[in-house]
Short mmCIF file of all heavy atoms in Angstrom, two decimals:
data_model
loop_
_atom_site.label_atom_id
_atom_site.label_comp_id
_atom_site.label_asym_id
_atom_site.label_seq_id
_atom_site.Cartn_x
_atom_site.Cartn_y
_atom_site.Cartn_z
N MET A 263 271.92 73.21 292.82
CA MET A 263 272.67 74.43 293.09
C MET A 263 271.72 75.47 293.68
O MET A 263 270.60 75.68 293.24
CB MET A 263 273.30 74.98 291.77
CG MET A 263 274.20 76.13 291.98
SD MET A 263 275.04 76.44 290.46
CE MET A 263 275.26 78.14 290.60
N ALA A 264 272.18 76.13 294.73
CA ALA A 264 271.35 77.10 295.43
C ALA A 264 271.22 78.40 294.61
O ALA A 264 272.10 78.77 293.86
CB ALA A 264 271.93 77.44 296.80
N GLU A 265 270.13 79.06 294.79
CA GLU A 265 269.88 80.35 294.14
C GLU A 265 270.68 81.45 294.75
O GLU A 265 270.95 81.43 295.97
CB GLU A 265 268.40 80.69 294.25
CG GLU A 265 267.96 81.90 293.56
CD GLU A 265 266.45 82.15 293.68
OE1 GLU A 265 265.76 81.25 294.01
OE2 GLU A 265 266.06 83.27 293.36
N THR A 266 271.13 82.36 293.97
CA THR A 266 271.91 83.50 294.50
C THR A 266 271.04 84.76 294.42
O THR A 266 270.44 85.05 293.34
CB THR A 266 273.17 83.74 293.67
OG1 THR A 266 273.93 82.57 293.75
CG2 THR A 266 273.98 84.87 294.22
N ILE A 267 270.94 85.51 295.51
CA ILE A 267 270.19 86.75 295.53
C ILE A 267 271.17 87.89 295.49
O ILE A 267 272.07 87.96 296.30
CB ILE A 267 269.31 86.87 296.80
CG1 ILE A 267 268.33 85.67 296.81
CG2 ILE A 267 268.57 88.16 296.82
CD1 ILE A 267 267.52 85.63 298.14
N THR A 268 270.99 88.80 294.56
CA THR A 268 271.95 89.88 294.37
C THR A 268 271.40 91.22 294.84
O THR A 268 271.99 92.27 294.53
CB THR A 268 272.38 89.96 292.89
OG1 THR A 268 271.23 90.18 292.10
CG2 THR A 268 273.11 88.74 292.46
N ALA A 269 270.28 91.27 295.54
CA ALA A 269 269.73 92.51 296.03
C ALA A 269 270.48 92.95 297.26
O ALA A 269 271.11 92.16 297.97
CB ALA A 269 268.28 92.27 296.35
N PRO A 270 270.43 94.24 297.56
CA PRO A 270 271.07 94.75 298.82
C PRO A 270 270.45 94.08 300.03
O PRO A 270 269.24 93.77 300.03
CB PRO A 270 270.78 96.23 298.79
CG PRO A 270 270.43 96.58 297.39
CD PRO A 270 269.85 95.33 296.76
N ILE A 271 271.25 93.82 301.03
CA ILE A 271 270.74 93.09 302.20
C ILE A 271 269.53 93.66 302.85
O ILE A 271 268.66 92.98 303.35
CB ILE A 271 271.91 92.89 303.23
CG1 ILE A 271 271.54 91.84 304.30
CG2 ILE A 271 272.30 94.21 303.86
CD1 ILE A 271 271.47 90.48 303.82
N GLU A 272 269.39 95.01 302.81
CA GLU A 272 268.23 95.67 303.43
C GLU A 272 266.96 95.44 302.65
O GLU A 272 265.87 95.74 303.14
CB GLU A 272 268.49 97.16 303.67
CG GLU A 272 268.76 97.96 302.42
CD GLU A 272 270.24 98.03 302.02
OE1 GLU A 272 271.05 97.37 302.66
OE2 GLU A 272 270.51 98.74 301.08
N ASP A 273 267.07 94.94 301.41
CA ASP A 273 265.89 94.65 300.63
C ASP A 273 265.46 93.18 300.64
O ASP A 273 264.57 92.81 299.94
CB ASP A 273 266.17 95.04 299.13
CG ASP A 273 266.29 96.54 298.98
OD1 ASP A 273 265.80 97.28 299.82
OD2 ASP A 273 266.91 96.98 298.01
N ILE A 274 266.12 92.40 301.48
CA ILE A 274 265.84 90.97 301.61
C ILE A 274 265.21 90.70 302.97
O ILE A 274 265.68 91.16 303.99
CB ILE A 274 267.10 90.12 301.43
CG1 ILE A 274 267.72 90.38 300.07
CG2 ILE A 274 266.80 88.66 301.65
CD1 ILE A 274 269.07 89.81 299.88
N LEU A 275 264.06 89.97 302.97
CA LEU A 275 263.38 89.65 304.22
C LEU A 275 263.34 88.20 304.49
O LEU A 275 263.18 87.38 303.55
CB LEU A 275 261.95 90.17 304.15
CG LEU A 275 261.74 91.67 303.91
CD1 LEU A 275 260.24 91.96 303.70
CD2 LEU A 275 262.27 92.48 305.06
N SER A 276 263.41 87.80 305.74
CA SER A 276 263.25 86.41 306.12
C SER A 276 261.74 86.14 306.09
O SER A 276 260.91 87.06 305.97
CB SER A 276 263.77 86.18 307.54
OG SER A 276 262.98 86.86 308.48
N ILE A 277 261.37 84.90 306.28
CA ILE A 277 259.94 84.55 306.24
C ILE A 277 259.21 85.19 307.43
O ILE A 277 258.09 85.64 307.31
CB ILE A 277 259.71 83.03 306.16
CG1 ILE A 277 258.24 82.73 305.88
CG2 ILE A 277 260.15 82.38 307.46
CD1 ILE A 277 258.01 81.43 305.22
N THR A 278 259.90 85.32 308.56
CA THR A 278 259.31 85.94 309.75
C THR A 278 259.07 87.39 309.52
O THR A 278 257.97 87.94 309.79
CB THR A 278 260.18 85.74 311.00
OG1 THR A 278 260.39 84.34 311.20
CG2 THR A 278 259.55 86.32 312.21
N GLU A 279 260.06 88.10 308.91
CA GLU A 279 259.91 89.53 308.62
C GLU A 279 258.81 89.75 307.60
O GLU A 279 258.00 90.68 307.66
CB GLU A 279 261.26 90.09 308.12
CG GLU A 279 262.32 90.10 309.18
CD GLU A 279 263.69 90.34 308.60
OE1 GLU A 279 263.95 89.97 307.46
OE2 GLU A 279 264.52 90.97 309.33
N ALA A 280 258.81 88.88 306.55
CA ALA A 280 257.77 89.03 305.52
C ALA A 280 256.39 88.82 306.07
O ALA A 280 255.44 89.53 305.68
CB ALA A 280 258.04 88.03 304.39
N ALA A 281 256.22 87.86 306.98
CA ALA A 281 254.90 87.64 307.61
C ALA A 281 254.46 88.84 308.41
O ALA A 281 253.29 89.20 308.36
CB ALA A 281 255.00 86.38 308.51
N GLU A 282 255.38 89.52 309.10
CA GLU A 282 255.05 90.68 309.82
C GLU A 282 254.59 91.81 308.89
O GLU A 282 253.61 92.52 309.17
CB GLU A 282 256.26 91.17 310.66
CG GLU A 282 256.56 90.28 311.81
CD GLU A 282 257.87 90.67 312.57
OE1 GLU A 282 258.43 91.73 312.20
OE2 GLU A 282 258.25 89.92 313.45
N VAL A 283 255.29 91.97 307.75
CA VAL A 283 254.92 93.01 306.79
C VAL A 283 253.51 92.72 306.25
O VAL A 283 252.66 93.64 306.09
CB VAL A 283 255.92 93.07 305.65
CG1 VAL A 283 255.44 93.92 304.50
CG2 VAL A 283 257.28 93.60 306.11
N CYS A 284 253.22 91.48 305.96
CA CYS A 284 251.91 91.09 305.39
C CYS A 284 250.82 90.96 306.47
O CYS A 284 249.65 90.75 306.13
CB CYS A 284 252.02 89.78 304.65
SG CYS A 284 253.02 89.85 303.17
N LYS A 285 251.24 91.01 307.73
CA LYS A 285 250.31 90.90 308.84
C LYS A 285 249.57 89.54 308.83
O LYS A 285 248.34 89.48 309.12
CB LYS A 285 249.31 92.06 308.91
CG LYS A 285 249.97 93.40 309.05
CD LYS A 285 248.99 94.49 309.27
CE LYS A 285 249.55 95.87 309.37
NZ LYS A 285 250.90 96.11 309.73
N ILE A 286 250.35 88.51 308.54
CA ILE A 286 249.82 87.12 308.63
C ILE A 286 250.84 86.29 309.37
O ILE A 286 251.97 86.72 309.65
CB ILE A 286 249.57 86.55 307.21
CG1 ILE A 286 250.87 86.48 306.41
CG2 ILE A 286 248.49 87.29 306.45
CD1 ILE A 286 250.70 85.79 305.05
N SER A 287 250.47 85.08 309.71
CA SER A 287 251.35 84.19 310.44
C SER A 287 252.46 83.61 309.53
O SER A 287 252.34 83.66 308.30
CB SER A 287 250.57 83.01 311.02
OG SER A 287 250.12 82.20 309.98
N THR A 288 253.51 83.15 310.15
CA THR A 288 254.58 82.48 309.39
C THR A 288 254.01 81.32 308.61
O THR A 288 254.36 81.07 307.48
CB THR A 288 255.70 82.06 310.38
OG1 THR A 288 256.17 83.19 311.08
CG2 THR A 288 256.86 81.46 309.58
N TRP A 289 253.14 80.53 309.29
CA TRP A 289 252.50 79.43 308.63
C TRP A 289 251.74 79.85 307.38
O TRP A 289 251.76 79.24 306.33
CB TRP A 289 251.53 78.69 309.61
CG TRP A 289 250.86 77.54 309.02
CD1 TRP A 289 249.54 77.46 308.68
CD2 TRP A 289 251.41 76.28 308.64
NE1 TRP A 289 249.26 76.23 308.14
CE2 TRP A 289 250.40 75.49 308.10
CE3 TRP A 289 252.70 75.76 308.70
CZ2 TRP A 289 250.60 74.20 307.68
CZ3 TRP A 289 252.90 74.46 308.31
CH2 TRP A 289 251.88 73.68 307.76
N GLY A 290 251.01 80.99 307.49
CA GLY A 290 250.28 81.54 306.33
C GLY A 290 251.26 81.89 305.19
O GLY A 290 250.88 81.66 304.02
N MET A 291 252.44 82.39 305.52
CA MET A 291 253.42 82.70 304.48
C MET A 291 253.86 81.42 303.80
O MET A 291 253.93 81.36 302.56
CB MET A 291 254.64 83.39 305.09
CG MET A 291 254.47 84.85 305.43
SD MET A 291 254.03 85.90 304.03
CE MET A 291 255.55 85.92 303.16
N TYR A 292 254.16 80.40 304.57
CA TYR A 292 254.56 79.11 304.01
C TYR A 292 253.50 78.56 303.02
O TYR A 292 253.79 78.05 301.94
CB TYR A 292 254.83 78.03 305.05
CG TYR A 292 256.19 78.18 305.73
CD1 TYR A 292 256.31 78.52 307.08
CD2 TYR A 292 257.38 77.93 305.01
CE1 TYR A 292 257.53 78.64 307.68
CE2 TYR A 292 258.61 78.01 305.62
CZ TYR A 292 258.69 78.34 306.95
OH TYR A 292 259.92 78.48 307.56
N LYS A 293 252.25 78.65 303.43
CA LYS A 293 251.14 78.17 302.59
C LYS A 293 251.03 78.97 301.29
O LYS A 293 250.82 78.40 300.20
CB LYS A 293 249.82 78.20 303.34
CG LYS A 293 249.71 77.19 304.39
CD LYS A 293 250.08 75.83 303.88
CE LYS A 293 249.14 74.77 304.18
NZ LYS A 293 249.52 73.49 303.65
N ARG A 294 251.18 80.28 301.40
CA ARG A 294 251.08 81.15 300.19
C ARG A 294 252.26 80.87 299.23
O ARG A 294 252.12 80.88 298.01
CB ARG A 294 251.01 82.59 300.56
CG ARG A 294 249.62 82.99 301.08
CD ARG A 294 249.65 84.34 301.75
NE ARG A 294 248.30 84.75 302.17
CZ ARG A 294 247.71 84.35 303.30
NH1 ARG A 294 248.34 83.49 304.10
NH2 ARG A 294 246.49 84.73 303.61
N VAL A 295 253.44 80.60 299.77
CA VAL A 295 254.60 80.24 298.94
C VAL A 295 254.31 78.91 298.27
O VAL A 295 254.55 78.72 297.07
CB VAL A 295 255.88 80.18 299.81
CG1 VAL A 295 257.01 79.56 299.00
CG2 VAL A 295 256.28 81.58 300.23
N GLU A 296 253.80 77.94 299.05
CA GLU A 296 253.51 76.60 298.55
C GLU A 296 252.53 76.64 297.38
O GLU A 296 252.64 75.94 296.39
CB GLU A 296 252.99 75.74 299.64
CG GLU A 296 252.76 74.32 299.31
CD GLU A 296 252.22 73.55 300.53
OE1 GLU A 296 253.03 73.34 301.47
OE2 GLU A 296 251.02 73.17 300.54
N ARG A 297 251.53 77.54 297.49
CA ARG A 297 250.48 77.66 296.44
C ARG A 297 250.93 78.58 295.30
O ARG A 297 250.23 78.70 294.30
CB ARG A 297 249.21 78.26 297.04
CG ARG A 297 248.51 77.30 297.98
CD ARG A 297 247.12 77.82 298.37
NE ARG A 297 247.18 79.10 299.08
CZ ARG A 297 246.85 79.31 300.35
NH1 ARG A 297 246.46 78.29 301.06
NH2 ARG A 297 246.89 80.48 300.85
N GLY A 298 252.12 79.18 295.45
CA GLY A 298 252.62 80.00 294.38
C GLY A 298 252.06 81.42 294.33
O GLY A 298 252.18 82.15 293.38
N GLU A 299 251.42 81.83 295.42
CA GLU A 299 250.81 83.15 295.51
C GLU A 299 251.84 84.26 295.72
O GLU A 299 251.65 85.38 295.29
CB GLU A 299 249.79 83.19 296.65
CG GLU A 299 248.57 82.30 296.42
CD GLU A 299 247.64 82.29 297.61
OE1 GLU A 299 247.72 83.24 298.48
OE2 GLU A 299 246.83 81.39 297.71
N ILE A 300 252.92 83.93 296.46
CA ILE A 300 253.97 84.87 296.75
C ILE A 300 255.26 84.33 296.19
O ILE A 300 255.60 83.17 296.38
CB ILE A 300 254.08 85.04 298.30
CG1 ILE A 300 252.81 85.63 298.85
CG2 ILE A 300 255.27 85.98 298.63
CD1 ILE A 300 252.80 85.78 300.38
N THR A 301 256.04 85.25 295.56
CA THR A 301 257.37 84.86 295.04
C THR A 301 258.34 84.74 296.18
O THR A 301 258.47 85.66 296.97
CB THR A 301 257.85 85.90 294.03
OG1 THR A 301 256.89 85.99 292.99
CG2 THR A 301 259.17 85.49 293.46
N ALA A 302 258.99 83.62 296.26
CA ALA A 302 260.00 83.39 297.28
C ALA A 302 261.30 82.88 296.64
O ALA A 302 261.26 82.33 295.54
CB ALA A 302 259.53 82.36 298.29
N HIS A 303 262.41 83.12 297.34
CA HIS A 303 263.71 82.69 296.83
C HIS A 303 264.28 81.71 297.89
O HIS A 303 264.37 82.05 299.07
CB HIS A 303 264.59 83.90 296.64
CG HIS A 303 264.05 84.90 295.70
ND1 HIS A 303 264.27 84.82 294.35
CD2 HIS A 303 263.22 85.94 295.89
CE1 HIS A 303 263.61 85.80 293.75
NE2 HIS A 303 262.97 86.49 294.66
N HIS A 304 264.62 80.56 297.37
CA HIS A 304 265.17 79.50 298.24
C HIS A 304 266.68 79.51 298.15
O HIS A 304 267.23 79.42 297.06
CB HIS A 304 264.63 78.16 297.86
CG HIS A 304 263.12 78.08 297.94
ND1 HIS A 304 262.47 77.58 299.00
CD2 HIS A 304 262.17 78.46 297.08
CE1 HIS A 304 261.18 77.67 298.85
NE2 HIS A 304 261.01 78.18 297.65
N VAL A 305 267.31 79.68 299.31
CA VAL A 305 268.80 79.62 299.37
C VAL A 305 269.08 78.52 300.36
O VAL A 305 268.88 78.70 301.58
CB VAL A 305 269.42 80.97 299.82
CG1 VAL A 305 270.93 80.81 299.88
CG2 VAL A 305 269.01 82.07 298.86
N GLY A 306 269.48 77.35 299.86
CA GLY A 306 269.60 76.19 300.71
C GLY A 306 268.20 75.83 301.19
O GLY A 306 267.28 75.75 300.40
N ARG A 307 268.06 75.65 302.52
CA ARG A 307 266.76 75.31 303.06
C ARG A 307 265.97 76.55 303.55
O ARG A 307 264.85 76.46 304.01
CB ARG A 307 266.94 74.38 304.22
CG ARG A 307 267.51 73.06 303.83
CD ARG A 307 267.66 72.10 304.99
NE ARG A 307 266.31 71.88 305.55
CZ ARG A 307 266.08 71.28 306.74
NH1 ARG A 307 267.12 70.93 307.44
NH2 ARG A 307 264.91 71.15 307.19
N ARG A 308 266.57 77.73 303.39
CA ARG A 308 265.94 78.96 303.84
C ARG A 308 265.16 79.58 302.74
O ARG A 308 265.46 79.46 301.56
CB ARG A 308 266.98 79.91 304.35
CG ARG A 308 267.69 79.39 305.59
CD ARG A 308 268.72 80.32 306.08
NE ARG A 308 269.40 79.71 307.22
CZ ARG A 308 269.28 80.16 308.47
NH1 ARG A 308 268.53 81.23 308.74
NH2 ARG A 308 269.98 79.58 309.42
N ILE A 309 264.10 80.33 303.14
CA ILE A 309 263.27 81.06 302.18
C ILE A 309 263.40 82.56 302.46
O ILE A 309 263.36 82.99 303.64
CB ILE A 309 261.81 80.68 302.34
CG1 ILE A 309 261.62 79.17 302.11
CG2 ILE A 309 260.92 81.49 301.43
CD1 ILE A 309 260.26 78.64 302.40
N TYR A 310 263.64 83.31 301.38
CA TYR A 310 263.78 84.78 301.51
C TYR A 310 262.83 85.46 300.55
O TYR A 310 262.40 84.88 299.55
CB TYR A 310 265.22 85.23 301.20
CG TYR A 310 266.20 84.71 302.22
CD1 TYR A 310 266.97 83.61 301.97
CD2 TYR A 310 266.34 85.40 303.46
CE1 TYR A 310 267.88 83.15 302.95
CE2 TYR A 310 267.22 84.93 304.40
CZ TYR A 310 268.01 83.81 304.14
OH TYR A 310 268.92 83.36 305.09
N PHE A 311 262.55 86.70 300.84
CA PHE A 311 261.63 87.51 300.04
C PHE A 311 262.27 88.81 299.73
O PHE A 311 262.93 89.43 300.59
CB PHE A 311 260.33 87.72 300.78
CG PHE A 311 259.62 86.46 301.16
CD1 PHE A 311 259.96 85.80 302.37
CD2 PHE A 311 258.67 85.96 300.37
CE1 PHE A 311 259.35 84.65 302.69
CE2 PHE A 311 258.07 84.75 300.71
CZ PHE A 311 258.37 84.11 301.89
N LEU A 312 262.10 89.33 298.51
CA LEU A 312 262.52 90.67 298.14
C LEU A 312 261.42 91.62 298.49
O LEU A 312 260.25 91.39 298.16
CB LEU A 312 262.87 90.74 296.65
CG LEU A 312 264.02 89.89 296.19
CD1 LEU A 312 264.22 90.04 294.69
CD2 LEU A 312 265.30 90.25 296.90
N LYS A 313 261.76 92.72 299.10
CA LYS A 313 260.75 93.72 299.53
C LYS A 313 259.92 94.16 298.34
O LYS A 313 258.70 94.23 298.45
CB LYS A 313 261.42 94.93 300.12
CG LYS A 313 261.84 94.79 301.53
CD LYS A 313 262.37 96.10 302.10
CE LYS A 313 262.88 95.96 303.47
NZ LYS A 313 263.45 97.22 303.98
N SER A 314 260.56 94.41 297.21
CA SER A 314 259.83 94.92 296.03
C SER A 314 258.75 93.88 295.59
O SER A 314 257.64 94.25 295.24
CB SER A 314 260.79 95.20 294.90
OG SER A 314 261.49 94.05 294.51
N GLU A 315 259.10 92.59 295.57
CA GLU A 315 258.17 91.58 295.15
C GLU A 315 257.03 91.42 296.18
O GLU A 315 255.89 91.20 295.84
CB GLU A 315 258.85 90.24 294.95
CG GLU A 315 259.84 90.26 293.76
CD GLU A 315 260.68 89.03 293.64
OE1 GLU A 315 260.72 88.23 294.58
OE2 GLU A 315 261.29 88.89 292.56
N LEU A 316 257.40 91.54 297.46
CA LEU A 316 256.42 91.39 298.50
C LEU A 316 255.40 92.59 298.47
O LEU A 316 254.23 92.38 298.57
CB LEU A 316 257.07 91.32 299.86
CG LEU A 316 256.27 90.90 301.05
CD1 LEU A 316 255.70 89.50 300.80
CD2 LEU A 316 257.05 90.93 302.30
N PHE A 317 255.89 93.80 298.26
CA PHE A 317 255.04 94.95 298.17
C PHE A 317 254.15 94.85 296.93
O PHE A 317 253.03 95.28 296.99
CB PHE A 317 255.85 96.26 298.20
CG PHE A 317 256.52 96.54 299.54
CD1 PHE A 317 257.70 97.24 299.56
CD2 PHE A 317 255.92 96.12 300.72
CE1 PHE A 317 258.31 97.50 300.79
CE2 PHE A 317 256.54 96.37 301.91
CZ PHE A 317 257.74 97.05 301.98
N GLU A 318 254.61 94.34 295.89
CA GLU A 318 253.82 94.10 294.65
C GLU A 318 252.68 93.18 294.98
O GLU A 318 251.52 93.34 294.54
CB GLU A 318 254.68 93.59 293.51
CG GLU A 318 253.93 93.46 292.18
CD GLU A 318 253.32 94.71 291.67
OE1 GLU A 318 253.92 95.82 291.90
OE2 GLU A 318 252.23 94.65 291.09
N TYR A 319 252.98 92.06 295.71
CA TYR A 319 251.94 91.14 296.12
C TYR A 319 250.89 91.80 296.91
O TYR A 319 249.68 91.65 296.72
CB TYR A 319 252.58 89.98 296.88
CG TYR A 319 251.53 89.10 297.57
CD1 TYR A 319 250.75 88.19 296.88
CD2 TYR A 319 251.32 89.21 298.93
CE1 TYR A 319 249.78 87.42 297.50
CE2 TYR A 319 250.37 88.44 299.59
CZ TYR A 319 249.63 87.54 298.86
OH TYR A 319 248.67 86.77 299.50
N ILE A 320 251.31 92.64 297.89
CA ILE A 320 250.35 93.35 298.74
C ILE A 320 249.49 94.31 297.94
O ILE A 320 248.29 94.37 298.17
CB ILE A 320 251.12 94.09 299.87
CG1 ILE A 320 251.76 93.08 300.82
CG2 ILE A 320 250.18 95.03 300.64
CD1 ILE A 320 252.73 93.67 301.83
N ARG A 321 250.06 95.02 296.98
CA ARG A 321 249.32 95.93 296.14
C ARG A 321 248.21 95.21 295.35
O ARG A 321 247.18 95.79 295.05
CB ARG A 321 250.22 96.68 295.20
CG ARG A 321 250.89 97.92 295.79
CD ARG A 321 251.54 98.76 294.74
NE ARG A 321 252.72 98.18 294.18
CZ ARG A 321 253.95 98.28 294.67
NH1 ARG A 321 254.13 98.99 295.73
NH2 ARG A 321 254.98 97.69 294.11
N GLN A 322 248.49 93.95 294.99
CA GLN A 322 247.50 93.21 294.18
C GLN A 322 246.36 92.66 294.98
O GLN A 322 245.36 92.21 294.38
CB GLN A 322 248.21 92.07 293.48
CG GLN A 322 249.17 92.50 292.45
CD GLN A 322 249.92 91.35 291.82
OE1 GLN A 322 249.62 90.17 292.05
NE2 GLN A 322 250.93 91.64 290.98
N LEU A 323 246.42 92.72 296.31
CA LEU A 323 245.35 92.19 297.15
C LEU A 323 244.11 93.06 297.06
O LEU A 323 244.04 94.18 296.85
CB LEU A 323 245.80 92.05 298.59
CG LEU A 323 246.84 91.02 298.84
CD1 LEU A 323 247.27 91.01 300.33
CD2 LEU A 323 246.43 89.64 298.47
#
């Protein structure tokens, strides 16, 4: 069963948008998700990020 995201649409980022925010490549985002460094939400085959979780990750760097 696919995960449901209940955040407002403006608080949800695609992997491309998240990569731009983090100033890294899309491939770099995939690798960080794979290693568990960044929290990602899978809906079907797509990966989404919540702005709040992404900004928390950036603050920890």
Side-chain angles (χ1 to χ4, degrees):
M263 186 170 150
E265 182 177 347
T266 302
I267 301 175
T268 58
I271 192 71
E272 61 271 4
D273 292 339
I274 300 171
L275 301 174
S276 68
I277 193 155
T278 303
E279 293 167 328
E282 289 174 6
V283 168
C284 292
K285 299 187 184 337
I286 60 175
S287 68
T288 303
W289 179 252
M291 285 298 290
Y292 280 113
K293 288 310 230 180
R294 284 168 176 80
V295 169
E296 185 179 290
R297 291 190 299 247
E299 294 175 18
I300 298 177
T301 302
H303 302 273
H304 300 265
V305 180
R307 295 183 60 193
R308 296 180 183 249
I309 300 174
Y310 294 99
F311 302 85
L312 296 178
K313 280 184 182 179
S314 60
E315 293 173 347
L316 194 59
F317 291 149
E318 183 61 33
Y319 167 75
I320 293 169
R321 275 193 289 274
Q322 292 176 7
L323 293 179

